[in-house]
Amino acid sequence: MLLTFSFPPQDLPDFLLLGALLGIIALIFIYRMYLKHNITIREKLNKDLQKRNSFLTAVTNKLRSTQRIVKADLKIARQIQLGLLPAQIPQIKEMRLDVIYKPVAEVGGDIYDFFQFDDKKLGVFIGDASGHGFAAAMISTLSKMSLYHHTQDKQSASELIGAINRDLTANINSHHYLTCFWGVFDFERNILTYSRAGHPTPLCLRKDGTLHNLCAEGTLLGLLENAAFKQEEFRFEPGDRFFLFTDGMYDVIHKNRGREAEAMTYNQFAQLIKKTSIETFNTTLSAIEKSLSDFKHEDDYTLIVAEIYDSDIERQLLTTNQIDRALLSQ
């Protein structure tokens, strides 16, 4: 049985050739339109990108300019705030004083001051405004102005704290507040008269190493206009060492224990202070700073150390220095 095959004619009809040619032309046209469309899109994208880049450049330049202005303003604000602090520590024969003051930003909410009423009376103030930055700095500045104004009237400790509270509540329309401690050392009577407004309780370290809290009831300043503040008295003795501080001193996190680490507590800081009983007055602050060197401060902190002059301690130090010089000369 024979199989037969048939093939199409070799010469295609003209209309088929024409159709194929038109199809090729159409494909070429579509492809060129596609390329042109893509080029148009790319050009548009490039123009949009250039516009966005120009906008970002303008915004960046504006931010840098604003940053320079803010930095300059912060520098001025810091100078003003530092100008409100004591230019020097009072020199009193009955007492020695030393201070650590460190804001974590350009401006902060901590403030302190000394007022020497006469040869036998010294007022010590320490305060801490809530928050950080400009808001806290404004509260502390307003508090300093109020403190300066009312100390001229020689009011009692509780009356002065109450007067500052009324000034703050009358002028603060936010939820910011101030904690503070105000005490007056009377070197004739050997009495410290003081009031406290929600501030960390100051401590007195006796010569024998015992620790005493300077407690007095009183709420935060700037929240309740008619708040009452108690006034207490503490009899001091030669060699007593007083510690007044803001919570930034002990609200610290250990640097090597990560975010899960708990902050130091007030009681832990009190025990740290107690250990400084072996230190001389001149080495007390450096000993505390050394103990806190492994911790990170996240808030402004201030520490005032005041020691009642003790002739017995001075004689011991004098004798020790004489012995040291004698040994060195051998």
Side-chain angles (χ1 to χ4, degrees):
M1 183 177 179
L2 296 176
L3 297 175
T4 59
F5 297 92
S6 61
F7 297 93
Q10 294 182 352
D11 295 329
L12 293 174
D14 291 341
F15 73 88
L16 290 178
L17 292 174
L18 180 62
L21 181 61
L22 290 174
I24 293 171
I25 292 173
L27 288 174
I28 293 172
F29 176 77
I30 292 170
Y31 179 69
R32 287 183 174 178
M33 290 296 294
Y34 172 76
L35 291 178
K36 185 177 180 181
H37 179 69
N38 281 353
I39 291 171
T40 303
I41 291 175
R42 285 199 298 272
E43 288 177 348
K44 184 178 180 181
L45 289 174
N46 285 333
K47 287 181 180 179
D48 289 343
L49 186 59
Q50 288 175 0
K51 287 181 179 179
R52 291 177 183 272
N53 286 339
S54 299
F55 175 75
L56 288 174
T57 300
V59 170
T60 301
N61 291 335
K62 182 68 175 177
L63 286 174
R64 286 175 178 171
S65 175
T66 303
Q67 251 183 344
R68 286 193 293 268
I69 294 171
V70 170
K71 191 173 181 180
D73 288 344
L74 282 172
K75 186 176 180 180
I76 294 171
R78 181 176 175 81
Q79 291 172 346
I80 293 172
Q81 190 172 41
L82 290 176
L84 294 173
L85 298 176
Q88 58 185 11
I89 297 174
Q91 302 298 313
I92 304 172
K93 63 179 182 179
E94 294 88 356
M95 173 182 280
R96 293 184 291 190
L97 294 157
D98 206 352
V99 179
I100 297 174
Y101 169 79
K102 291 187 180 179
V104 293
E106 289 291 333
V107 291
D110 283 11
I111 192 167
Y112 70 93
D113 212 340
F114 306 103
F115 290 86
Q116 192 165 359
F117 296 102
D118 52 45
D119 292 340
K120 293 297 180 179
K121 283 187 179 180
L122 176 73
V124 182
F125 179 87
I126 185 169
D128 182 7
S130 62
H132 302 280
F134 272 119
M138 289 181 66
I139 301 301
S140 63
T141 300
L142 180 60
S143 304
K144 169 59 189 291
M145 296 296 98
S146 177
L147 172 69
Y148 179 79
H149 172 71
H150 293 295
T151 49
Q152 308 307 309
D153 299 331
K154 296 185 179 180
Q155 301 182 70
S156 68
S158 58
E159 289 173 340
L160 184 138
I161 295 295
I164 296 174
N165 179 60
R166 288 191 294 274
D167 287 345
L168 292 182
T169 52
N171 292 282
I172 298 175
N173 297 316
S174 64
H175 296 292
H176 289 88
Y177 56 84
L178 181 86
T179 70
C180 72
F181 175 91
W182 166 251
V184 178
F185 289 90
D186 186 333
F187 300 109
E188 280 189 336
R189 299 167 55 226
N190 289 343
I191 293 290
L192 168 64
T193 305
Y194 64 91
S195 287
R196 187 174 66 95
H199 199 76
T201 304
L203 297 166
C204 174
L205 182 64
R206 299 282 197 188
K207 273 197 305 184
D208 61 5
T210 58
L211 207 58
H212 297 265
N213 295 329
L214 302 179
C215 294
E217 294 181 7
T219 188
L220 311 170
L221 302 187
L223 298 180
L224 301 173
E225 182 179 358
N226 297 318
F229 303 92
K230 287 196 69 175
Q231 180 170 299
E232 301 288 351
E233 289 187 348
F234 180 83
R235 181 171 292 278
F236 55 81
E237 302 170 357
D240 284 353
R241 195 175 289 172
F242 294 87
F243 296 82
L244 288 68
F245 45 88
T246 59
D247 60 5
M249 280 302 305
Y250 59 85
D251 190 12
V252 292
I253 301 294
H254 199 283
K255 294 177 182 177
N256 301 323
R257 295 179 187 169
R259 295 181 178 179
E260 301 301 321
E262 294 183 357
M264 179 182 288
T265 65
Y266 172 89
N267 289 335
Q268 289 173 328
F269 183 66
Q271 290 305 308
L272 187 153
I273 285 177
K274 189 173 182 179
K275 292 178 182 178
T276 63
S277 60
I278 61 173
E279 301 288 339
T280 65
F281 176 79
N282 292 333
T283 62
T284 299
L285 286 186
S286 59
I288 292 174
E289 287 191 301
K290 185 177 180 180
S291 298
L292 295 174
S293 60
D294 291 332
F295 293 83
K296 181 182 179 182
H297 291 272
E298 297 183 342
D299 192 9
D300 312 324
Y301 60 99
T302 304
L303 171 61
I304 301 173
V305 180
E307 184 180 88
I308 306 301
Y309 180 80
D310 187 347
S311 57
D312 291 338
I313 292 177
E314 295 304 315
R315 279 194 292 270
Q316 291 173 10
L317 288 174
L318 181 61
T319 302
T320 301
N321 291 335
Q322 288 172 341
I323 292 173
D324 290 342
R325 285 195 295 269
L327 290 173
L328 288 172
S329 63
Q330 291 179 359

